[in-house]
Amino acid sequence: MREYTPKEIERKWQQAWQEARLHHTDEDESKPKYYALEQFPYPSGEGLHMGHMRVYSIGDVVARFRRMNGYRVLHPMGADAFGLPAENAAINRGINPREWTLSNMERIRKEQALIGASYDWDRYLGTCLPEYYKFTQWLFLLFYERGLAYRKKAFVNWCPDCNTVLANEQVEDGKCWRCDSEVTKKELEQWFLRITDYAERLLEGLDRLPDWPDKVRAMQRNWIGKSEGAHVTFTVPECDDEPVIVFTTRPDTLFGVTYMVVAPEHPLVPRLVKGKETEADVLAFIEQMKKQSEIERTSTEAEKVGLFTGAYAKHPLTGEKVPIWVANYVLMDYGTGAVMGVPAHDERDFQFASKYGLPIKAVIQPAAGEPLPEPLTEAYTEDGVLTRSGDFDGMPNRQAVKEIAKLLEERKQGGWTTTYRLRDWLISRQRYWGTPIPMIYCDSCGAVPVPKEQLPVMLPEDVVFDGKRNPLTTSDTFVQTTCPRCGNKARRETDTMDTFIDSSWYFMRYTDAQNEDEPFTPESAAKWLPVDEYIGGIEHAVLHLLYSRFFTKVLYDAGLVPVDEPFKSLLTQGMVLKDGFKMSKSKGNVVSPLEIIEKYGADTARLFILFAAPPDRDLEWSDSGVEGSYRFINRVWRLIAQHEALFAQDIPVQGEPQSGEAKELRRLMHQTIKKVTSEIGERSHFNTAISAIMELVNGLYAYPEHADRAVLKEALETLVVLLAPFVPHVTEELWQSMGKEGSVHRVDWPTYDEGALVLDEVEIAVQINGKVRDKLVVATDASREEVEKQALETERIQALIEGKTVRKVIVVPGKLVNIVAN
């Protein structure tokens, strides 16, 4: 057999698989379905990196393993192709983003093929292609029809460098998630999706996802941020009793309110200060706050700064005047944009009141012991009983929480409620390279949806990219249109959608990727959904994964999909590190997958990246580890080569092997089948599966020439099949060299025989007074008496106990014999 030449072998089999359409989706519904999916890549100009290599290798093992286990497998791929980076890169190169993106998509497809990934390329999609974004627009209109898409004027997160709006989830530590620029606030008319309508269901659904990492579920729970408490309605007499609603988890402290704080952006503030001597200072303060990020304003380290508006609210239960302040730490985006100040029982309120000389009124006292000091030196936040609280005096504060909420409800001044930290999803973006929002504005008819038969609303080519304005606003042919209702002149919406919209449903499109009339049919969705194994980065825990769950629930309610959770199992792979750091150009520690494939072959790259660490852990790159993986593949190659003649012979298996060596190899083979099957199929521990295969290879090399050839042949064939999901090219070549017909990737996965795993004999330690003095091989079913007799009769043990009295013999079956003698 010739030398192992990975480049030649891999090129040969990639072409053969393509010609045979080996990875085309099996539609045989008599088989159980399995949907294996890796998160699709963003087609940047840099091609694949090691993180891609890792996620695609993991996904490919899963898909190949399931096919060999009799499943019809859907394993598709595409490109998450809209977005700001492509637009900026194209602008810098003086070309249209479409041209730049399509060239990168093609490049990544070729590189994915080099890895040997078994994708059904007939289902390939790109989110920037009109045949895809036509249905992204179709789904937007569905949301609009169901009252889940709406437009409003709001203060939004604005990135000055990207010149676009960001959703709350895309602001990280007060900075743009893409470019790290400081995010400011800007008031604009924007489109939102009512994800808050699904907050409770998004929370509840997490309890039905046991195969998701606990960390991801915790991150989503924290982001949704459920709180139970009371709404309290204060009124402002000087503004025609305008209601100001606050939410509090502590209605038991309501009688201790001594001031109120509203967000600088609260729409009532200009009326509160109008004509007062505080007006100029407060309005200047508002402008100052617009320049600060939410992180700066709400950080625990940030100084709490406020101004008195000069206006007062009316307390709902006491009628007392409550001074209204504006302060940096209250945000319009969270809660109601107003909070009540109870400095005696909240540490932040205590600090604010102390700073500005506001009254501090204790309304909860310890149930036993000394009463609180006057004045308070710190906030009292423990439980106790109410005081200075009218009819509630003497009531335990925990009881008062619900009782006061009940009173507020009776008086129509509030009541018990549940709130969420989650805000509605802001989807408008003032950029070109995204899905146009299919809405039209008519002076007579208002906002009118584009009729579905007129989709897609195509991106125009006649736009100006100057980095100063939304390019779509520069295209008159795009902006100027007619109203679908009245036929009068109208204008198109010039915002595009957040690109997370595109990726919130792509896994559904794969089920019916060629459908030209609708996103997918309910029948095709029912055939494949949910995704059985979804593989990708944990960085999308509260972005893509949350949005995809939201979309799935909406489409479930619309009767389009059969499930309300999109991903049954989630595997979040760790990063690939080098010298302890994430690979990056700035650190100069990048290793390209293509370099490794060129030098060692894709199978070596796959084997190393799967063997070096469990998939959910970070992986430290190791050149010696890559070389070790290459040597192992060569070792397997030589093992098959040296027994080439064996495969030309018809050697029937003669029942149970008789020799000890044959029994041991057969036991090792079935042990390996059991281990590899469990590690791939149940635990996703590919590294330990490969380790077990390596032990089988060692056993095969140690197998003597004179031993049972039938057992050897079976074990060698099993070795190649077990390795096939990990190193698909070389195993295909070896399978052919063994004279086998068809592809190794269409062979049934081997099953193990429990009977073969049972040992006939076992080695046990023989101790004298607790110290190991010898070892003994005994039958696994030997009685205690037989084991004791064998131990006492061995030559070495007899010599060591000569002249001594054996007081006791302790037998631990299958492990040891301890002889107590003196």
Side-chain angles (χ1 to χ4, degrees):
M1 191 173 177
R2 70 184 189 283
E3 180 185 352
Y4 172 52
T5 53
K7 284 179 67 175
E8 176 188 332
I9 290 168
E10 290 171 5
R11 192 181 307 115
K12 166 188 170 181
W13 287 111
Q14 287 164 11
Q15 183 176 346
W17 295 336
Q18 182 178 351
E19 291 172 356
R21 301 184 77 220
L22 188 72
H23 305 136
H24 185 71
T25 303
D26 186 350
E27 300 283 359
D28 183 358
E29 293 190 44
S30 67
K31 299 177 181 179
K33 73 94 177 175
Y34 198 90
Y35 188 171
L37 183 64
E38 304 99 77
Q39 291 175 359
F40 58 174
Y42 184 82
S44 68
E46 298 180 359
L48 297 186
H49 54 66
M50 278 300 170
H52 291 129
M53 182 80 195
R54 191 178 194 191
V55 70
Y56 302 148
S57 297
I58 291 169
D60 199 49
V61 170
V62 171
R64 291 180 183 276
F65 172 78
R66 292 295 173 179
R67 289 193 196 101
M68 297 172 78
N69 275 275
Y71 290 82
R72 56 182 171 93
V73 173
L74 176 58
H75 188 215
M77 184 44 62
D80 190 10
F82 269 142
L84 192 56
E87 183 172 339
N88 288 342
I91 292 169
N92 292 338
R93 290 163 176 79
I95 59 176
N96 188 282
R98 178 182 175 84
E99 178 185 341
W100 169 254
T101 302
L102 292 181
S103 65
N104 290 334
M105 287 167 61
E106 184 59 28
R107 172 182 174 178
I108 287 182
R109 280 186 66 165
K110 289 178 180 177
E111 292 177 0
Q112 288 171 321
L114 289 176
I115 294 172
S118 58
Y119 299 127
D120 180 355
W121 291 110
D122 289 348
R123 295 177 186 251
Y124 184 84
L125 62 82
T127 60
C128 69
L129 302 176
E131 55 265 32
Y132 182 86
Y133 72 72
K134 167 185 178 178
F135 294 115
T136 303
Q137 294 170 342
W138 189 98
L139 290 170
F140 173 88
L141 295 178
L142 175 72
F143 276 66
Y144 183 77
E145 291 162 5
R146 297 180 70 84
L148 295 171
Y150 67 96
R151 190 171 185 248
K152 72 172 182 178
K153 197 170 189 178
F155 281 96
V156 294
N157 303 308
W158 179 262
C159 175
D161 283 355
C162 296
N163 281 312
T164 191
V165 164
L166 302 173
N168 290 324
E169 293 86 346
Q170 293 164 334
V171 181
E172 299 173 350
D173 295 330
K175 296 181 179 180
C176 173
W177 74 303
R178 282 286 190 196
C179 70
D180 279 343
S181 297
E182 291 288 339
V183 172
T184 61
K185 286 290 184 180
K186 192 171 185 177
E187 191 172 29
L188 294 171
E189 287 271 4
Q190 301 287 281
W191 282 96
F192 294 81
L193 297 185
R194 296 187 195 276
I195 192 172
T196 53
D197 282 9
Y198 284 77
E200 187 60 35
R201 287 173 63 185
L202 288 166
L203 270 179
E204 175 273 328
L206 293 172
D207 296 329
R208 294 185 281 112
L209 296 173
D211 296 326
W212 278 41
D214 290 341
K215 182 177 180 181
V216 173
R217 292 191 295 168
M219 290 168 74
Q220 289 209 5
R221 282 194 182 95
N222 291 338
W223 189 259
I224 296 167
K226 181 178 181 179
S227 295
E228 292 187 325
H231 272 144
V232 185
T233 303
F234 292 77
T235 54
V236 184
E238 63 186 87
C239 293
D240 302 320
D241 284 332
E242 179 82 22
V244 179
I245 298 172
V246 303
F247 171 79
T248 177
T249 59
R250 296 290 308 275
D252 53 320
T253 65
L254 183 56
F255 287 87
V257 172
T258 60
Y259 67 95
M260 173 184 286
V261 178
V262 295
E265 303 87 356
H266 198 290
L268 187 59
V269 172
R271 291 172 61 193
L272 294 177
V273 299
K274 187 172 181 60
K276 295 185 174 70
E277 61 182 35
T278 58
E279 183 175 12
D281 289 342
V282 170
L283 295 180
F285 181 72
I286 292 172
E287 291 304 312
Q288 181 186 349
M289 290 301 100
K290 288 180 182 178
K291 299 173 184 176
Q292 289 191 358
S293 69
E294 291 181 4
I295 295 295
E296 288 176 304
R297 287 172 55 178
T298 60
S299 168
T300 53
E301 287 80 32
E303 182 185 5
K304 305 300 182 282
V305 180
L307 289 174
F308 178 44
T309 63
Y312 293 84
K314 182 181 177 182
H315 193 288
L317 298 184
T318 68
E320 294 173 347
K321 292 172 62 177
V322 178
I324 304 174
W325 287 61
V326 292
N328 60 345
Y329 66 88
V330 179
L331 303 175
M332 197 63 213
D333 287 347
Y334 293 98
T336 63
V339 298
M340 63 186 205
V342 188
H345 305 293
D346 180 274
E347 191 58 45
R348 182 188 64 184
D349 293 351
F350 183 87
Q351 293 173 3
F352 190 83
S354 299
K355 177 177 180 178
Y356 291 106
L358 295 168
I360 299 174
K361 178 184 177 184
V363 293
I364 297 176
Q365 292 284 349
E370 294 293 322
L372 297 178
E374 289 281 357
L376 285 177
T377 56
E378 61 181 352
Y380 178 72
T381 57
E382 304 299 320
D383 287 340
V385 295
L386 266 61
T387 183
R388 302 163 76 182
S389 299
D391 294 340
F392 299 96
D393 282 358
M395 182 179 290
N397 73 294
R398 292 291 175 183
Q399 180 183 347
V401 166
K402 287 292 183 74
E403 292 297 326
I404 291 177
K406 183 180 177 182
L407 177 62
L408 289 168
E409 189 166 358
E410 290 172 354
R411 294 189 176 186
K412 295 185 170 36
Q413 293 170 312
W416 193 255
T417 189
T418 300
T419 67
Y420 301 88
R421 178 176 179 267
L422 182 68
R423 301 268 68 85
D424 278 344
W425 179 7
L426 169 57
I427 66 165
S428 293
R429 297 294 179 271
Q430 293 69 43
R431 298 301 299 228
Y432 171 79
W433 195 231
T435 299
I437 295 175
M439 296 297 293
I440 291 171
Y441 302 109
C442 171
D443 290 341
S444 300
C445 305
V448 181
V450 174
K452 289 182 179 178
E453 61 272 17
Q454 294 181 18
L455 300 179
V457 176
M458 298 278 287
L459 284 169
E461 299 286 329
D462 58 337
V463 295
V464 176
F465 295 104
D466 57 15
K468 298 177 182 177
R469 51 189 164 162
N470 179 350
L472 286 181
T473 63
T474 68
S475 170
D476 286 340
T477 60
F478 178 81
V479 175
Q480 303 303 323
T481 186
T482 56
C483 174
R485 286 185 185 160
C486 68
N488 290 330
K489 288 183 179 181
R491 66 189 188 284
R492 289 193 188 278
E493 170 64 72
T494 55
D495 285 352
T496 53
M497 298 186 209
D498 180 2
T499 54
F500 279 103
I501 296 279
D502 308 320
S503 58
S504 292
W505 74 280
Y506 80 109
F507 49 90
M508 301 175 188
R509 178 64 175 172
Y510 282 136
T511 69
D512 198 8
Q514 305 303 323
N515 194 325
E516 297 179 2
D517 301 317
E518 51 192 327
F520 48 84
T521 64
E523 294 75 21
S524 62
K527 187 189 294 187
W528 291 110
L529 293 177
V531 175
D532 292 280
E533 187 73 79
Y534 195 40
I535 306 160
I538 198 170
E539 66 272 16
H540 293 304
V542 293
L543 287 163
H544 165 60
L545 291 172
L546 183 65
Y547 295 152
S548 296
R549 296 182 61 227
F550 168 48
F551 256 65
T552 303
K553 291 181 187 301
V554 173
L555 298 189
Y556 173 80
D557 290 348
L560 296 180
V561 298
V563 295
D564 71 343
E565 287 292 345
F567 313 122
K568 181 180 178 182
S569 177
L570 177 67
L571 194 162
T572 52
Q573 88 283 357
M575 293 187 295
V576 181
L577 311 176
K578 191 169 191 297
D579 305 323
F581 296 97
K582 181 180 178 180
M583 289 187 180
S584 70
K585 285 185 176 180
S586 62
K587 289 189 170 63
N589 64 347
V590 172
V591 178
S592 166
L594 299 185
E595 293 174 13
I596 303 302
I597 292 172
E598 177 69 21
K599 185 174 181 180
Y600 297 103
D603 284 340
T604 291
R606 289 170 60 121
L607 188 69
F608 166 73
I609 215 159
L610 292 164
F611 178 61
D616 57 339
R617 304 281 181 84
D618 289 346
L619 180 157
E620 179 65 37
W621 183 263
S622 164
D623 293 336
S624 62
V626 176
E627 291 165 2
S629 296
Y630 182 69
R631 286 195 301 272
F632 173 72
I633 293 175
N634 271 282
R635 197 163 182 244
V636 173
W637 182 272
R638 291 192 303 271
L639 181 65
I640 302 300
Q642 72 184 49
H643 293 100
E644 198 167 16
L646 186 65
F647 303 110
Q649 304 172 35
D650 184 14
I651 309 174
V653 177
Q654 302 292 332
E656 287 291 319
Q658 299 303 308
S659 71
E661 296 96 337
K663 284 183 178 181
E664 174 56 26
L665 179 59
R666 187 167 182 271
R667 186 192 67 78
L668 178 60
M669 179 185 73
H670 284 275
Q671 177 182 293
T672 306
I673 294 170
K674 182 177 182 179
K675 178 74 171 177
V676 174
T677 303
S678 170
E679 295 301 271
I680 300 177
E682 297 173 18
R683 304 180 65 216
S684 297
H685 283 188
F686 311 112
N687 57 320
T688 48
I690 294 169
S691 180
I693 294 172
M694 290 176 171
E695 291 180 22
L696 176 59
V697 170
N698 291 338
L700 284 163
Y701 266 103
Y703 193 67
E705 283 291 327
H706 65 269
D708 191 321
R709 299 287 91 184
V711 173
L712 174 63
K713 183 179 180 183
E714 183 186 16
L716 289 168
E717 291 171 352
T718 300
L719 166 65
V720 173
V721 174
L722 293 179
L723 266 175
F726 301 101
V727 286
H729 308 90
V730 67
T731 49
E732 194 79 284
E733 184 73 12
L734 291 172
W735 194 246
Q736 186 185 62
S737 75
M738 296 162 82
K740 301 294 184 179
E741 293 184 0
S743 170
V744 69
H745 303 293
R746 289 295 178 265
V747 172
D748 289 341
W749 189 258
T751 57
Y752 60 89
D753 179 359
E754 286 285 2
L757 301 177
V758 178
L759 292 170
D760 293 332
E761 296 178 327
V762 63
E763 185 179 73
I764 64 173
V766 182
Q767 299 176 341
I768 298 177
N769 298 328
K771 293 185 178 180
V772 176
R773 297 301 187 186
D774 202 359
K775 290 186 177 178
L776 184 67
V777 176
V778 300
T780 53
D781 58 355
S783 66
R784 289 174 178 269
E785 292 76 15
E786 289 172 330
V787 173
E788 179 180 331
K789 184 172 181 292
Q790 275 187 257
L792 291 171
E793 288 179 353
T794 61
E795 186 176 336
R796 176 168 171 76
I797 295 301
Q798 283 192 340
L800 290 171
I801 64 175
E802 186 178 355
K804 296 180 180 179
T805 301
V806 176
R807 304 290 183 186
K808 186 191 298 184
V809 179
I810 302 168
V811 178
V812 180
K815 292 187 177 180
L816 61 85
V817 176
N818 185 27
I819 300 167
V820 181
N822 54 24

